[in-house]
Structure formats: structure tokens, C-alpha cells
Amino acid sequence: MIRLSETARRALYAFLAALLLFGLGEWVRPGFIAPASVSAILTVAVFVGLVAAGQTFVILIGGIDLSVPWVLNAAAILLATSSLGENGRALSALALTLAMGLGVGLLNGIGIAFLGVPAVVMTLAMNGIMEGLTLGFSGGMTCEACASYAPPSIQSLAHGSWLGLPAALWLWLGVTLVVSFVLGATVFGRVTYAIGVNARASALAGVRVRAVTIGLYALSGFFAALAGVMLVGFGGQASLGMGEPFLFQSIAAVVIGGASILGGRGHYVGTVAGSIALVTLMSVLLAMNMPEFGRSIIYGVIILVLLLLYGREKGEA
Amino acid sequence: MAGRSRSPLAHALAREVGLVLVSVLLAAAVLLYVGIYLASQQRLPGSCELITTVNNTLPLIFAALAQALVVMTRGLDLSVGGMVDLTNALAAQYLGATPAHALAVAAGILLIGAVLGFLNGALVAWGRLQPILVTLATLSIFQGLAIWVLPQPGGSVPEFFSRWLANTTWPVGLLYTLAAALFWLAFRRTPLCIAVLAIGNDENAAAAHGISPVRTKLAAYTLGGTFSALAGLFLAATATAGDATTGNGYTLTSIVAVVLGGISLFGGRGSALGAILGAYVTTMIVNILFFAHIDPLYQAFYEGLFLVIAVVLAEGVGRLIRGRRAA
């Protein structure tokens, strides 16, 4: 008998849930599991999965990143406005955008690790800061460059395909491999889990807790920005509020994927499964013509149920 | 320094340092506002400006009270905005045309707020779940329900209702502010408030002294939900119509007001009077930005920035004073 760890079992459940949901979708609307439809669903899951990669990093140390909506939105707008839709400027715009995400995440980390601001408050405040800056600098999306499209090269990264699979999925596969390697086989990864289990003991053992914390939040900002780049490439143009759904979805993907929200346990593979299950559920609800408010209620209920199953604090009642 | 032989006044100052700081902050904000107003309008702000400021602050005062009760238990309520959305939508949809009807519906809405808060509290206390994740999930549920109740902005708030809660000719809002302050001064002496602060300080120690964390949290979240509903009613009265999304911002601003008011985010310390004053500071900041001709698009930027600065300063000053006391 193979005995799976708790988190591995949860990741498996998430994959099974996704398969079940695909079956349900086919039952609701025949053609749901046609290759084109599945590929479209998985492409949407890539956006959630990228944001959730960053969220996984910070949740592993018992943190949270509430700043992803406007970091993502700012990244999408920054990419479009700095590239002006020209391929020649695509690379520098990409570097600028990802550096912005990394920098914002770095500030989050510094606020949390050095200034002692609770993660929820620091990242909530940062979300407001990025919202204000994005709205202010773009003049509420009235600026001349704001109507720019993403460069064709970025658009083909989101739309194109390679060896029969969407390019976005290849990117996600690469991210999954790298993130899993970093978490599973590097010192940085082991230290991340150690801080999540017990930050004080890690510090006493010589772990540079503050530096690692800053690094993790920087990564979260980076992945939110990367998702913003992919999203503007996918949609062509940026818009205000495009990041809003991703806060809830990224946290939901991590919870569905079985990582402990108290830190210390979880794998990115689980989050990948969680992203796919969540987006498949969204697609099934859409196929059932569920209005937006109904979906919003169902997401909340599902998260509560999963939290009750997975996320209970041990100890006295 | 002052050591053990400090005068009673100095001792009281040290204990209420959060309140003292937020009072100074409010005085500074009011002075700055009056100065900028005078410079741009060539006259002093009058009763009209006072009434508008008070009326605009009232929803935030009650949202901040809701947030304060939860924060004192060492929690955080991200669903405050969703509860304001839902109760605001209910008010715009169902208040009706006669005063008696409106009163009954308003009471019903407060009851619904209590139920929503109880739901949060039950999940946190009985479910032993993290407050942040519970309220993030219920935020999504409450926002969905709000849009279900009021799909498009609109509805109607009867004129007499607006006159009661957000009178534009008399500053009755000051009376409501006073009522909120008196509520806290009375509540502070109840066993419930002592239990709230005790479990915020150290849940295990409080439980060892016979305080039930479950019952205390249930009561604190239920009371918080009722205050969020009150915020929704005041928002409906001020806006004279409903919108299922305008309440969203109250999650952030209620935390800002609580932090500015010197209530520790690590629970167990603070006074809701601070949250009330913090709410006024938050409104004054918006007023100042307006008269300083700063683009309102940047408003969220300043709110976020002030939140970080306030937390850092509050922790820094708190550490300084505790350090001196220990010395």
C-alpha cells in the first residue's frame, strides 16, 4: 500500500474534483470536454494558477497577499502603456512590468518583516496604494497610451500554441516545475517550510527569517505581475478592475489544493490542481447560466466548507 | 526617566496614549482643513461643511465600531464591506413609504446584520477557523447576496428616513456620534467587554480564568454585524439611494479608522472612542485632499499610505511607552 501524505492526498482530491467537474460540465452542456473547450478552460486556469503560485509562497509561511488585484491590474496597464503595442518595445516593457511587480512585493515584504506590520494590513494597504497610483497615473484609464494593445509577441504568448498545446500551458508547466523544484529541492524552499512550521525556532536555528519573508513576498508580486502580462496578452487591452476576481480565486486555489493556511504544509502541484478545479467549476456554473451573484455566493460557501474540512486550528475548542 | 513614581495624570496619559495621539491627529487635521479651506474659499467652513462632514463620517463610525470589536478579540473582519453592501441594498429596496413601516424594516435589517455577524462568529469560534479566511469567504457571499437584492444601483430611501439619520440642516449626526461614544463608555464596564479584551490579550489565560472564548467571540462578532448593518442604514440615508457595491470600501477604511484610533491589531488593547475619532480623521483626510485639489483618483493611494504609516507609528510609540514602563 502506498501511503500518501495529508497534503498529497488533498492535491489528489482536487484533481479528482476537476475530473468530476469536467464530467458534470459534459452532462450539463454536451461538448464541454471537447479539446477546444478543455484547452480554453485550462488557459483561464493558467491566470489563476500564476497568481496562486505567489499566494502559495506566502501562505506557506502563514502569510497572505491581499495586494494581488491591483498589482496585476497595474502590471497589465503598465505593459500596454510602456510597449504602446509595438513588438520592438515588448521586451523592455516586459522587464519593466515584472520589475514593478517584484518591487511592490519587496515593499510588502519589508513592511511585514522589518516594520512589523501584519501581513493582512500591509498587503491590503498596498492594494489601495496600487489602486490609487494606477487610477491616478492613467487618469482613470483616460490617458492616451491607455488604449494601447499588448504587443503581438505578448499576445501570441497567451494565444499561440506549440506542439499542439497552448503556449500559456507550456509556460505554466515551466512555472510548475521551477516552483516545485525551488520548494522541494533548494535551501530556500526547505527554509520556507521551516519558517511556516515555526518562525522562532527557524530564527534560532540561524535562518534569516526576514530576508526569506521579503523574498517570498517579492515572488508573490512577481507572479501577480506575470499574470497581469498574460491576461493583457490574452484580452489584448487592459481595463480597470480586471484584477479584482483574482484575490479570492488565488486564495481559493491554494485552499482547494490542500496547502495548510496556517503555513508549513502544501505543494504547488496541489495549487495547480486547485486552480484547474476552481476554473472548471466556474465554467460549469457559467454553462448552467448561473448569474454572477450566484457564483460569488457558491465560491464563498465552497471555501467555507473546505476550510471546515481542512483548515481547522488544532487545540482547545 | 519618570520611573515608578509617576503622577496619576502621566499614568493615565500613558494608558490612553492611543486616544491622545488620535485626538492630536484629529486636531491637526481639522486645523489643516480649515487652513486649506480658508485659502481656497476665502471664508471659514460653516455649519454646512460641519453637517456634511458629520453625515459622511457616520457610516464609517459604525463600520469602525464593528471592526474594533472584532479586532479587540485578535481577529480581523474583511466582510464589513460586504455586510454594509447587503444591508444598504436591503434598505434601498424595502424601507417603504411610511415611518412605521420603515422603522420595522430598519429593525429587521439590524437583526439581519446580527445574524450575519453571528455566522462569522460561529465559523470562527465553533469552526476554529482563521478570522481572515472566514470573513474573506463570507465577504464573497454577502456581496453576492447584495447584488441579488439590488441588481442595479437605485431603489429608494424615503425622505423622512434621510432626515432622521442624515439631516442636512441640523447636525443631528453629532448626537449619533455622542450616542456611539456613550455606548462604548457603558459597554466598557460590562463583563462582555472585559472578556473581549481578555481573550484578545491571551485566549488561554482568559479561558483559564473561566472566560468562554466561544461565547465571547460569538457575542463580539454578532454585535459587530449589528454595527455594520447600522453603517449600511446610515449609508443609505446619506446617499438617499442604494448601491450594492459602494459598501466595499468600508473594509479598508474601517481598518484605517481602527488603526488610527490606536486599537492594537494584535488584540486586547484599545478604546472604541479611538475608532470614532479615527473615523473623523479618515473623513478629514478625504476633505483635505479635496480642497488641496488632489485628484480624487488618488484617494485609495493616500488611504493605503496612511494606513501603513499609522500602523508603524502606533507600534513604534506603543513599544517606546511599554519599554519605558518596563524600565
Side-chain angles (χ1 to χ4, degrees):
Chain A
M1 280 283 286
I2 304 167
R3 289 197 57 128
L4 291 171
S5 73
E6 178 97 18
T7 44
R9 200 151 18 102
R10 289 176 184 177
L12 196 64
Y13 292 157
F15 270 118
L16 290 176
L19 285 179
L20 217 70
L21 283 162
F22 273 114
L24 185 66
E26 177 67 19
W27 183 63
V28 170
R29 178 186 286 176
F32 193 84
I33 51 171
S37 158
V38 172
S39 138
I41 290 171
L42 290 180
T43 307
V44 176
V46 172
F47 308 131
V48 178
L50 288 178
V51 182
Q55 205 71 259
T56 305
F57 278 123
V58 297
I59 286 179
L60 279 179
I61 58 164
I64 199 160
D65 189 348
L66 303 183
S67 70
V68 288
W70 282 96
V71 173
L72 189 158
N73 209 331
I77 293 172
L78 185 61
L79 184 91
T81 51
S82 62
S83 68
L84 298 169
E86 293 168 22
N87 262 342
R89 299 173 192 247
L91 211 59
S92 57
L94 183 66
L96 180 70
T97 305
L98 295 179
M100 184 277 295
L102 204 66
V104 173
L106 207 67
L107 288 178
N108 274 332
I110 291 172
I112 292 160
F114 280 102
L115 300 179
V117 183
V120 190
V121 176
M122 184 66 219
T123 55
L124 187 68
M126 188 56 85
N127 193 45
I129 288 173
M130 293 309 294
E131 177 184 356
L133 287 180
T134 307
L135 287 173
F137 278 131
S138 68
M141 281 308 270
T142 55
C143 68
E144 220 170 297
C146 290
S148 303
Y149 284 81
S153 53
I154 304 276
Q155 291 199 33
S156 66
L157 185 67
H159 281 290
S161 63
W162 189 59
L163 297 180
L165 275 181
L169 275 183
W170 285 110
L171 175 82
W172 199 17
L173 187 67
V175 166
T176 307
L177 290 177
V178 170
V179 170
S180 296
F181 176 80
V182 166
L183 284 176
T186 64
V187 174
F188 183 78
R190 302 322 300 169
V191 162
T192 301
Y193 285 107
I195 295 174
V197 172
N198 192 331
R200 178 166 292 184
S202 312
L204 291 173
V207 172
R208 288 160 67 205
V209 175
R210 284 174 167 173
V212 174
T213 302
I214 292 173
L216 291 168
Y217 279 93
L219 280 172
S220 183
F222 173 85
F223 277 111
L226 183 61
V229 169
M230 292 299 288
L231 209 57
V232 73
F234 189 71
Q237 265 177 311
S239 61
L240 291 176
M242 63 197 283
E244 294 295 352
F246 286 92
L247 169 62
F248 189 77
Q249 289 175 14
S250 64
I251 295 172
V254 176
V255 172
I256 295 172
S260 164
I261 42 152
L262 305 172
R265 275 182 299 130
H267 302 287
Y268 183 58
V269 176
T271 303
V272 169
S275 311
I276 296 174
L278 182 73
V279 172
T280 313
L281 172 72
M282 280 161 43
S283 310
V284 172
L285 294 178
L286 273 174
M288 293 165 72
N289 291 320
M290 173 78 67
E292 194 198 333
F293 71 81
R295 281 180 273 145
S296 171
I297 295 169
I298 288 177
Y299 300 154
V301 171
I302 286 176
I303 294 308
L304 285 178
V305 170
L306 283 173
L307 286 175
L308 285 170
L309 289 176
Y310 292 167
R312 308 186 71 170
E313 292 175 42
K314 301 275 191 301
E316 72 286 72
Chain B
M1 298 272 280
R4 287 173 191 82
S5 60
R6 275 193 302 192
S7 69
L9 181 67
H11 186 75
L13 266 180
R15 202 184 51 206
E16 304 290 357
V17 63
L19 271 185
V20 175
L21 278 179
V22 70
S23 306
V24 172
L25 207 56
L26 182 57
V30 169
L31 279 178
L32 185 62
Y33 166 70
V34 170
I36 292 181
Y37 191 95
L38 192 63
S40 71
Q41 309 289 309
Q42 271 77 48
R43 66 180 179 88
L44 284 172
S47 69
C48 176
E49 283 74 21
L50 174 73
I51 291 170
T52 314
T53 303
V54 173
N55 285 347
N56 286 341
T57 311
L58 276 170
L60 180 56
I61 285 179
F62 291 107
L65 276 178
Q67 190 66 260
L69 284 167
V70 172
V71 167
M72 283 176 189
T73 66
R74 195 178 285 200
L76 197 71
D77 191 346
L78 298 181
S79 73
V80 163
M83 289 195 269
V84 175
D85 278 335
L86 178 53
T87 50
N88 179 35
L90 285 169
Q93 198 69 290
Y94 297 113
L95 273 179
T98 65
H101 186 259
L103 267 182
V105 172
I109 289 174
L110 291 182
L111 192 67
I112 289 173
V115 171
L116 301 180
F118 181 81
L119 180 71
N120 279 335
L123 287 161
V124 169
W126 279 323
R128 297 202 306 275
L129 298 175
Q130 278 201 322
I132 296 164
L133 288 162
V134 165
T135 54
L136 191 68
T138 54
L139 172 68
S140 177
I141 297 175
F142 298 160
Q143 283 175 331
L145 288 173
I147 293 172
W148 177 58
V149 168
L150 191 69
Q152 269 94 40
S156 69
V157 175
E159 207 181 312
F160 59 82
F161 193 76
S162 291
R163 230 173 17 245
W164 289 347
L165 296 188
N167 201 305
T168 48
T169 43
W170 297 98
V172 283
L174 285 176
L175 289 181
Y176 293 120
T177 308
L178 192 67
L182 287 177
F183 160 80
W184 170 253
L185 291 177
F187 180 73
R188 201 171 63 167
R189 287 172 173 74
T190 62
L192 175 59
C193 181
I194 293 164
V196 164
L197 292 170
I199 67 163
N201 255 321
D202 188 336
E203 197 167 318
N204 294 334
H209 282 86
I211 292 170
S212 159
V214 171
R215 255 184 308 177
T216 308
K217 281 184 193 168
L218 282 175
Y221 280 87
T222 306
L223 208 53
T226 316
F227 277 120
S228 290
L230 207 51
L233 289 179
F234 272 97
L235 184 63
T238 314
T240 67
D243 184 332
T245 56
T246 41
N248 289 346
Y250 283 95
T251 296
L252 176 64
T253 47
S254 68
I255 299 174
V256 174
V258 160
V259 170
L260 285 175
I263 297 172
S264 167
L265 286 166
F266 299 103
R269 252 201 318 274
S271 159
L273 295 182
I276 295 172
L277 294 174
Y280 274 103
V281 175
T282 312
T283 312
M284 292 312 295
I285 290 171
V286 176
N287 282 351
I288 290 167
L289 294 178
F290 178 77
F291 282 103
H293 296 294
I294 287 170
D295 194 334
L297 289 172
Y298 284 103
Q299 189 180 323
F301 168 75
Y302 287 101
E303 281 171 359
L305 196 63
F306 284 126
L307 178 53
V308 177
I309 294 172
V311 176
V312 172
L313 282 184
E315 286 302 313
V317 170
R319 208 172 296 157
L320 205 69
I321 285 174
R322 278 193 298 281
R324 270 172 56 173
R325 213 185 268 171

